[in-house]
Each structure stands twice: as C-alpha cells, then as structure tokens.
Amino acid sequence: MAAILATIPILLVLITMTVFRKGSALAGLVGWLSGLAVAALFFGLNWRVLWISQGKGLLLTLNVLMILWPALMLYTLVDQVGGIHAIAGALHELIPDKGWLAIIQAWMLTAMIESLAGFGMPIAIVAPMMMALGVPPVIAVATSAIGHTWTVSLGGMAMPFRILSDIVGIPTGELFPISSLLLGLTAILSGLAVMLLLNERKYWWRVLLLGVSVAVVQYVAGSIGLLSICAFLAALSGIILGVVLCPRVKGWKPTRTSSPALSAGLFAYGFLIFLIFIVSVIKPLNVFLSEFAFTLQFPESVSGGGVVMAAGPGYVLRYFTHSGAMLFTSILVSILVFRFIPGVGKPNIFQALKLTLRGALPASLGTLFMIGLSTIMEHTGMTVALARGLSSVVGGMYPIFTPVVGMIGSFATGSNTNSNVLFGLLQKEVAQLIGVSPIILLAAQTTGGALGSMIAPAKLAVGTSTTAMKGREGEVLRITLPIGIALALIIGLVAWLIGK
C-alpha cells in the first residue's frame, strides 16, 4: 500500500507532461503539491521535516540553476553571431553524410559534453546543431537526451560511480567490470535508439561497430587506472571513428572553410571544454579549487513514520570546480574575445540577457518543484517505499527491474548521483535477501540511473531551454519514456542472466 501511495506524485507528473503535454514548471508544481499531500496524510510529514527537506532542495536547485542560466546565456551569445549554425556546418564538412552526422552528434558529441559538464548541457548545446541540419526540434531534443546516457555514470570524473562505491563500501575496482559491461551495452542500445528515431536504419552496422568500439575503449581506459576520464576518452574515440566510418562519394575531399561565426563558436565552446578538462584532470588544481566551498548545516529530522535523516550538511557547492563557474568564465572571456574577431564585433549583452531570462525562467521553476518533490519523498521514506514495494512484488526476478529503480531515482532527483545515494544501500540489502551478488544489482542500479537522464524533467528543462521545445518537455518525454523503460528492462534482463 505504501508503495502505491508513493507513486501518486510521480504518476501525476508523468500524466501532466505526457497526456496533457504541459511543461516541467506546471508538472513540477502538480507533483510537489500532491507530494506534500501524500507525505502529510500517509508518511508522517511534519513541519521540521518539511523545512529541512526543502532547505536541502533549495541548495540542490541552486546547483542546477548555476548551470542552466549561464549555459543558456553562452548559447545565446554564440547563436547571436551565427556560431551554432557555423559549427554544425563545419562538422558537416568532416562528416558530409547528414544522416550519419546527426547520429554522431546525438550519440557521441553529446556523450563527450556529458563526460565534461553534464546536467542537460549536452542537449542544450547539441540539439540546436541538429536542428540546423533540418532535424525536427522534438526529435533533436529526444535523440540528444537518449544518446548521451551511456556516459552519465562514468562522466564528470566518474562522480556518480565513485559515490555509489563510497556509500556501499565496495571498491570501484570490484564494481567497475560489470558496471562497464552494462554501460557498454547501454552505449550500443542508445545508438540504435538514436538511429531508429532519426529513421537512418541503413547505418545499423556502423552503429553496432561504433558502439562496441567505444564500449571497449571505456572498459580498457577504466581498467588501466583512467576511471576519471574513461567516458571522455570513449566518446572522443567515438567521434574520431565516426569521421572514419562516414560514407563518402568517390573523390570526396574535405573543404576548408572558415568564417568569423565559426571562429567565435569554436572559441566559446572550445574554451569551455578546455577549462573543464584542465580543472578535472589536473588533480592538484582540482583539489585546491575544491577547497572553496559553501553549504548549510541541517539538523536531524524524524518523520511521523519514523524515517530519520541524520544531521549534516546539505549540498556542498564548490565555487571554482562547478560547471556553472566555468560556464560563467567562458561567457566573460567570449564577450571579450568576440570583439577582436573580425566580422563578429561586440555582442548584444542586453538582448542575450533578455532571451536567457525568457528561456530559463520556466525551466527554473520546473527544477525547483521537482527537486522539492524529490527531497520530500526522500525525507519521508516515500522513495524507499517505492523500491521496496517493487522488490517484494517481483522477488527473484528483481534484477530485471533494478535499472527501473535507478531510473525512478534519476527521474525524481534529476541526477544519477542522487539516485545512487538514495538506492545504493537498498540495492545491496535486496541483493543479500534474494541471494544475488550485490555487485550485479549495484551495476544495474547505476546503469538505470544513467538511463534515467533521458526522462528526468529537470534535465529536459535545461536541455530544451535552447530550442523551440522549451516549455514542451512533455512532448519529448512521450518519446524518451517508453524507450528508457525498454532499455532499462533489457539491461535488467542481462543483469538477471549474469546473476543466475
């Protein structure tokens, strides 16, 4: 009964977005209000739990908005000078086949960006490039959302994966092999899904070859001690191999064209990627910059249902290693450099701010409400009730549904990391109850959490903010939700077979 009640807010969010085709702002509000009601009536929500959970939620929201706003501002500045279309055109020169180029952009370019920055940025940056190729907006956003999922867990210095390892007390070296196997399979499946959505079935063998190749690169890189950048190296190798595999007419030669718009676009995003890469890879610099941080301390909370959340800090905001700080730095540097690129000149900052406000505000509200809902569910035990209800129903078949649990966590919190925090110990506990290796369920958990990125309203809100789909995340979710569930069940079936 508790599990059924706990699904009500999530179901209402899904219905609002997919059936009524509303954006994440309204859907988030519906979910938050219904979550308050269910938590208060059935899960012992009290005032203390409410303000503590929402205080932590505000810190998490700030983390997201510090990416959303500058990401949209940088995109707007680059788009003002024609940089987005110019970059898409330059890629077209290297990969002259539009169908194959669209697959590489949605699958490999988004994956590389995810491994460096994440949280909706792959969609926000790549979807407009795909639209410049003539891909319909809803398909551009949906394929970008699906395509990058295979790098989510091992991207960003492998933070979601490392946190899972820390929480359950199992070394990364023990978790990595099976996790890499399932994430490698996800790379292949996500590529095939992108191919089908783009209606480019003729490239099936190229997709399979490329998918297997990046899976092997990611596994090898992680196995030899490059865990922090194994996803980045895999995605980069995927782009290079994608250029090699591109079908070309006989006698084709790449044309070397340049323009002020291309120079501006490459500089803005190239500088951003360079900055993120340097801060991420140079460990002494990363450690030093990570010392500058802000958080708030929260007291212990106890719900009426007996759920105890220990006293401690909320989300720790590390100013100088945060993607938002690097985005903001890229904005300032780009504004200065654009003036010295002949034919570009001084950007219209006021107009860019106006467009940023118009695009980011609805997404910000959706993020605020969805994260508020997730923290209520966590602090009152609703999230755990959901997972335990599922495990009790399916019993020994639970490994098949483990990735779905991971997806639920990412859907509710917008984060693979948070999904692993919520469900990591639970998965370990269930594994012991049903007699399955915890490593298998934990690998399925983090893979499901990665797949959840394609359906997380908070991420879709960020991703759609730079396209004609802003405020229409529900239309995207109608596409990504069934695909996400199907991929999660396939991954779960493989995990179940491994455990038998």
Side-chain angles (χ1 to χ4, degrees):
M1 184 62 178
I4 295 174
L5 292 170
T7 62
I8 292 175
I10 293 177
L11 286 176
L12 288 176
V13 169
L14 290 173
I15 291 171
T16 304
M17 294 185 71
T18 59
V19 177
F20 295 102
R21 303 192 181 192
K22 301 299 181 181
S24 61
L26 180 58
L29 176 59
V30 170
W32 183 71
L33 291 174
S34 61
L36 281 177
V38 172
L41 292 173
F42 303 104
F43 289 89
L45 176 65
N46 53 46
W47 168 246
R48 185 179 179 86
V49 171
L50 177 61
W51 77 260
I52 291 175
S53 67
Q54 297 310 282
K56 292 179 180 178
L58 286 175
L59 281 179
L60 288 170
T61 301
L62 178 62
N63 167 55
V64 177
L65 299 190
M66 283 184 61
I67 297 174
L68 192 159
W69 286 76
L72 184 53
M73 179 68 177
L74 181 63
Y75 164 81
T76 303
L77 288 171
V78 174
D79 192 48
Q80 272 187 353
V81 299
I84 299 297
H85 283 76
I87 292 173
L91 284 172
H92 195 194
E93 291 173 6
L94 288 174
I95 305 178
D97 187 288
K98 280 190 175 183
W100 183 241
L101 173 60
I103 292 174
I104 295 301
Q105 286 181 334
W107 187 26
M108 292 297 153
L109 183 57
T110 57
M112 188 176 75
I113 296 171
E114 171 64 32
S115 67
L116 294 171
F119 212 96
M121 283 185 62
I123 311 172
I125 293 173
V126 174
M129 295 183 188
M130 297 182 66
M131 289 166 57
L133 293 175
V135 178
V138 67
I139 299 298
V141 173
T143 51
S144 297
I146 294 166
H148 77 278
T149 53
W150 63 278
T151 52
V152 173
S153 194
L154 292 172
M157 300 297 289
M159 185 59 67
F161 185 73
R162 291 181 186 277
I163 286 181
L164 177 64
S165 171
D166 292 340
I167 285 174
V168 300
I170 299 177
T172 57
E174 294 182 26
L175 286 176
F176 180 76
I178 293 181
S179 298
S180 181
L181 171 65
L182 297 183
L183 290 166
L185 178 58
T186 301
I188 299 170
L189 294 174
S190 61
L192 291 172
V194 166
M195 177 195 72
L196 292 173
L197 279 177
L198 292 171
N199 198 26
E200 299 289 353
R201 294 173 176 81
K202 60 184 177 182
Y203 299 111
W204 66 269
W205 70 267
R206 289 182 172 88
V207 170
L208 288 175
L209 177 60
L210 188 53
V212 171
S213 299
V214 297
V216 170
V217 170
Q218 182 168 261
Y219 176 82
V220 171
S223 298
I224 62 175
L226 299 176
L227 181 65
S228 296
I229 58 172
C230 66
F232 172 80
L233 293 175
L236 180 61
S237 70
I239 293 175
I240 295 171
L241 187 55
V243 173
V244 174
L245 289 174
C246 177
R248 298 178 176 88
V249 296
K250 188 175 182 180
W252 173 88
K253 291 183 178 180
T255 57
R256 295 185 178 180
T257 60
S258 183
S259 67
L262 178 61
S263 299
L266 288 177
F267 175 82
Y269 285 115
F271 181 77
L272 171 64
I273 291 173
F274 170 78
L275 198 60
I276 293 172
F277 185 79
I278 291 298
V279 172
S280 299
V281 172
I282 301 179
K283 293 291 180 65
L285 177 62
N286 185 273
V287 171
F288 172 72
L289 293 177
S290 295
E291 293 178 0
F292 300 90
F294 166 79
T295 189
L296 293 174
Q297 294 291 328
F298 291 91
E300 178 184 85
S301 68
V302 182
S303 73
V307 176
V308 179
M309 301 298 291
Y315 179 82
V316 180
L317 182 64
R318 304 189 186 280
Y319 306 112
F320 300 120
T321 58
H322 195 279
S323 297
M326 288 173 248
L327 279 162
F328 186 69
T329 302
S330 299
I331 290 171
L332 295 180
V333 174
S334 296
I335 289 173
L336 292 174
V337 171
F338 282 5
R339 302 183 182 194
F340 299 100
I341 299 177
V344 175
K346 183 180 178 181
N348 189 334
I349 299 176
F350 177 78
Q351 180 66 15
L353 286 171
K354 183 178 178 181
L355 292 172
T356 299
L357 176 64
R358 186 185 304 166
L361 190 56
S364 300
L365 291 173
T367 301
L368 174 67
F369 289 128
M370 283 304 303
I371 291 178
L373 170 61
S374 74
T375 52
I376 288 173
M377 293 182 66
E378 177 187 2
H379 283 67
T380 57
M382 293 171 66
T383 309
V384 173
L386 254 176
R388 285 181 173 165
L390 179 60
S391 66
S392 66
V393 169
V394 298
M397 304 292 288
Y398 180 77
I400 297 177
F401 300 94
T402 300
V404 176
V405 175
M407 284 189 72
I408 292 172
S410 289
F411 175 85
T413 67
S415 166
N416 189 179
T417 299
N418 289 343
S419 178
N420 287 347
V421 170
L422 279 176
F423 294 131
L425 288 173
L426 175 69
Q427 301 287 20
K428 185 178 180 181
E429 175 186 324
V430 172
Q432 294 168 348
L433 289 174
I434 64 175
V436 175
S437 168
I439 290 175
I440 296 175
L441 290 197
L442 292 169
Q445 156 64 36
T446 197
T447 303
L451 286 169
S453 294
M454 73 174 75
I455 65 169
K459 286 192 174 183
L460 291 180
V462 175
T464 57
S465 63
T466 58
T467 71
M469 295 303 297
K470 60 187 176 186
R472 297 162 59 191
E473 301 94 325
E475 295 179 40
V476 179
L477 191 60
R478 287 167 67 92
I479 297 173
T480 60
L481 180 60
I483 292 175
I485 293 174
L487 297 190
L489 290 175
I490 293 173
I491 295 296
L493 180 60
V494 172
W496 178 69
L497 291 172
I498 292 174
K500 285 188 70 65

